[in-house]
Amino acid sequence: MVKNYKGAQITKEDTIETQPVSVSDYMSTRLITFHPDQSIMEVVEQLLKHKISGAPVVNDQKELCGIISEGDCLKEVVKGKYHNHPIMDGKVSDHMAKNVITIHPGLNIFEAAQMFLEKKIRRFPVLDETGKLVGQISQKDIMRAVQNIKSENWR
């Protein structure tokens, strides 16, 4: 009896179609952004209006300068407590996080999820190969991706 040394062969009918799970598939692209010269009060108003917890800060050339969050705005509130009245006249550039960790749109969402766990931050700006801000991905976006994908098709 002759045995095949190649083993079982996979035919086209046997292949499983996989779904893409990159950051670009699930990132937000319609972003609320702020300018470094805007006031903290404007940021507070926009964060509340749009029900978001933070946003990218971009300059006039739309280059990423930092991230401003609710926590950054609270620093201004605490500063006002020291003076016994809310000041809220600080600028975004005075309170934003400047050393921002960014990711590439082609990154796999599972690698992005690992980065969220390691860095303990809530959002990553997404920059293309030219360094231009093209989106933002949050932990909720990762959870939405996982919910939308069948487990046997993850790659």
Side-chain angles (χ1 to χ4, degrees):
M1 170 157 67
V2 176
K3 294 186 178 183
N4 185 340
Y5 68 91
K6 291 183 180 179
Q9 300 294 310
I10 297 175
T11 64
K12 277 191 173 182
E13 296 82 35
D14 295 331
T15 60
I16 297 172
E17 185 177 325
T18 58
Q19 299 177 21
V21 288
S22 66
V23 165
S24 64
D25 296 319
Y26 291 96
M27 68 183 186
S28 299
T29 56
R30 296 179 58 194
L31 302 177
I32 305 299
T33 61
F34 296 105
H35 191 275
D37 294 331
Q38 278 184 277
S39 75
I40 290 295
M41 195 61 208
E42 289 178 81
V43 172
V44 170
E45 290 169 3
Q46 291 299 312
L47 293 179
L48 292 171
K49 177 182 175 184
H50 296 286
K51 299 178 181 172
I52 56 176
S53 62
V57 179
V58 295
N59 62 19
D60 294 331
Q61 292 76 38
K62 304 298 182 199
E63 298 167 328
L64 183 69
C65 299
I67 293 279
I68 188 83
S69 69
E70 293 169 322
D72 299 322
C73 296
L74 285 176
K75 291 174 188 172
E76 192 72 0
V77 171
V78 170
K79 185 172 134 185
K81 173 68 173 150
Y82 176 77
H83 298 289
N84 202 24
H85 63 86
I87 299 173
M88 300 300 282
D89 64 353
K91 291 188 176 190
V92 169
S93 59
D94 298 331
H95 297 287
M96 69 183 185
K98 294 177 180 127
N99 296 326
V100 179
I101 300 169
T102 63
I103 59 176
H104 188 273
L107 187 70
N108 182 292
I109 60 156
F110 300 105
E111 293 173 61
Q114 184 65 38
M115 287 179 68
F116 277 117
L117 293 174
E118 289 171 1
K119 305 299 181 191
K120 298 183 186 339
I121 57 177
R122 298 173 72 172
R123 68 194 63 78
F124 287 113
V126 181
L127 304 182
D128 66 12
E129 53 280 337
T130 67
K132 180 183 173 197
L133 179 68
V134 294
Q136 177 174 277
I137 193 151
S138 68
Q139 293 178 6
K140 279 188 180 153
D141 295 326
I142 300 292
M143 299 303 292
R144 186 170 41 93
V146 171
Q147 184 180 32
N148 290 340
I149 300 170
K150 294 178 183 175
S151 64
E152 65 269 14
N153 292 344
W154 289 358
R155 62 173 167 147

